[in-house]
Amino acid sequence: MDRYKVYILGATGLVGQRYVQLLARHPWFEIVGMAASEKSAGKRLAETGWVLEEPPPHEVAEMRLEKLEADKVPKVDFVFSALPSEVAAKVEPELAAKGYTVLSNSSNMRMEPDVPLVIPEVNPEDLSLVEKQKAGRGWRGAVVKKPNCTTTILNLPLKPILDEWGIERVHVVTMQALSGAGYAGVPSVAIMDNIIPYIKGEEEKVVAETRKILKADFDVYVTTTRAPVLDGHLEVVYVDTKRDFGLEAVADSLERFRGLPQELKLPTAPEKPIEVRRQIDRPQPRLDRWAGRGMAVVVGRLRKLSPRKLAMVVLGHNTVRGAAGNSVLTAELMIANRF
């Protein structure tokens, strides 16, 4: 089959590099160009400070980065955006108005009612908002958002629990990886031998986005912290359910959970979007973040604290499932379902 042409905005940041990594050898997509800041424009990708665990894919390592200009983006099937939110707020709507389909990691526009905020296994039906967005804004294209990385990792296991037992409230405390703040986001002298018990804006995002994605009105209480881990957000989650549950039934429900991406056998979809670990000391970021090629969420320490009160520890790779991988999977779903 002819591959779909894609363009990457913000290709030199951590999430941008994940987009490159996931798309360069993708069976459905072909990277035809990349844009970055003025500092990196004109350089070959391999010259721009690649920091991931594998070298830049040889297919695109010699590709030169272009200056970010909406008028210069070539005609492509999808634009993947890893731009800072303040830049994305101007560029992404401009591209959508010109007819581009933009799949974005940036936080701007996530809560606007006509903007899909999608975890493909959880709320694929929200992609239908694309047509409402085009009609209401007079755009030929569209902007589709992925949630905050912490929200994505949390909402995957909440979905089967909500469907089977209902939810009254959720308490979450996170220990989030450094890569979630970007390459220069947290100074080494601030995080070494330390945990920072506050991430600006993060708690509010998790609360609002969870309500939009799950279409539920239960209470969500969140404390987010930054921990000295490179990749992998760990979340300690307490769920008050509406109906009582058996612990083995919960574990079985999580392990059996599948969504539309699994039914359609999409290339980036993990076989099991949720993996349950029975060991008492799992999940751990270093051991479990690459489950399902980084696209699965790992759940462990399942405990029934009292009737209708569940405790669990959840882990997900924040720049793969929590960021670039979620958008790539969304693009696959849009193709397969003709959104």
Side-chain angles (χ1 to χ4, degrees):
M1 65 179 254
D2 292 335
R3 293 197 292 170
Y4 293 85
K5 294 183 175 5
V6 304
Y7 194 85
I8 302 172
L9 306 177
T12 58
L14 288 178
V15 174
Q17 291 183 19
R18 287 287 181 211
Y19 275 131
V20 173
Q21 187 182 59
L22 291 166
L23 292 166
R25 295 165 190 163
H26 194 286
W28 292 8
F29 299 124
E30 176 190 0
I31 300 173
V32 298
M34 296 177 276
S37 66
E38 203 164 327
K39 183 178 73 173
S40 298
K43 294 181 180 178
R44 295 180 297 114
L45 177 67
E47 298 175 322
T48 59
W50 188 269
V51 296
L52 299 188
E53 60 284 327
E54 297 175 352
H58 66 83
E59 294 90 342
V60 293
E62 299 303 310
M63 186 176 286
R64 292 198 179 272
L65 296 164
E66 299 170 359
K67 184 181 176 183
L68 176 57
E69 295 180 90
D71 289 337
K72 300 289 179 65
V73 176
K75 187 58 183 173
V76 292
D77 298 290
F78 295 98
V79 173
F80 290 93
S81 172
L83 295 173
S85 292
E86 62 275 11
V87 180
K90 178 180 184 298
V91 172
E92 292 174 358
E94 190 176 341
L95 289 171
K98 292 175 182 293
Y100 294 91
T101 298
V102 182
L103 290 116
S104 171
N105 183 75
S106 307
S107 62
N108 61 296
M109 295 179 68
R110 281 180 187 161
M111 298 310 298
E112 296 187 20
D114 62 346
V115 175
L117 183 67
V118 175
I119 304 170
E121 291 91 344
V122 174
N123 61 328
E125 69 280 359
D126 286 357
L127 285 170
S128 64
L129 290 172
V130 162
E131 292 309 315
K132 178 182 178 182
Q133 184 186 121
K134 289 180 178 179
R137 298 178 185 246
W139 289 351
R140 291 181 292 121
V143 174
V144 177
K145 292 287 178 174
K146 57 145 288 288
N148 177 275
C149 46
T150 307
T151 306
T152 302
I153 293 162
L154 172 66
N155 277 242
L156 270 162
L158 287 186
K159 173 62 172 172
I161 295 168
L162 176 66
D163 287 349
E164 295 202 33
W165 293 280
I167 294 176
E168 287 190 346
R169 67 188 57 83
V170 176
H171 290 77
V172 188
V173 177
T174 72
M175 285 147 277
Q176 297 180 209
L178 294 170
S179 56
Y183 185 72
V186 182
S188 59
V189 292
I191 196 64
M192 290 295 291
D193 189 34
N194 202 18
I195 289 178
I196 300 171
Y198 173 69
I199 303 173
K200 184 179 180 181
E202 195 86 350
E203 293 156 2
E204 296 84 354
K205 290 176 187 175
V206 175
V207 172
E209 292 174 16
T210 295
R211 288 175 176 157
K212 180 174 180 176
I213 292 163
L214 296 180
K215 304 171 184 66
D217 59 358
F218 54 79
D219 293 327
V220 183
Y221 303 98
V222 187
T223 299
T224 57
T225 78
R226 189 74 70 190
V229 172
L230 182 58
D231 291 310
H233 286 358
L234 195 73
E235 305 181 9
V236 180
V237 184
Y238 299 91
V239 184
D240 291 352
T241 60
K242 289 184 176 179
R243 296 174 293 280
D244 202 14
F245 59 86
L247 204 53
E248 279 305 312
V250 172
D252 183 60
S253 177
L254 294 171
E255 290 187 315
R256 285 188 294 103
F257 177 72
R258 302 290 187 276
L260 192 54
Q262 285 71 39
E263 293 175 25
L264 296 171
K265 300 187 184 307
L266 300 178
T268 304
E271 181 182 347
K272 296 171 63 174
I274 303 170
E275 297 187 12
V276 176
R277 297 282 189 269
R278 306 284 178 158
Q279 302 96 316
I280 194 64
D281 61 349
R282 302 284 282 277
Q284 297 178 25
R286 195 168 62 189
L287 301 179
D288 297 304
R289 60 191 166 210
W290 283 107
R293 306 185 314 279
M295 287 295 290
V297 167
V298 181
V299 177
R301 298 223 55 211
L302 280 165
R303 292 167 290 155
K304 184 172 184 175
L305 303 180
S306 63
R308 300 188 297 109
K309 193 173 289 289
L310 174 71
M312 59 184 175
V313 177
V314 181
L315 173 78
H317 198 303
N318 52 294
T319 62
V320 183
R321 169 49 94 165
N326 196 83
S327 289
V328 173
L329 185 57
T330 301
E332 295 170 3
L333 184 58
M334 294 179 76
I335 292 167
N337 265 14
R338 295 182 174 86
F339 280 108

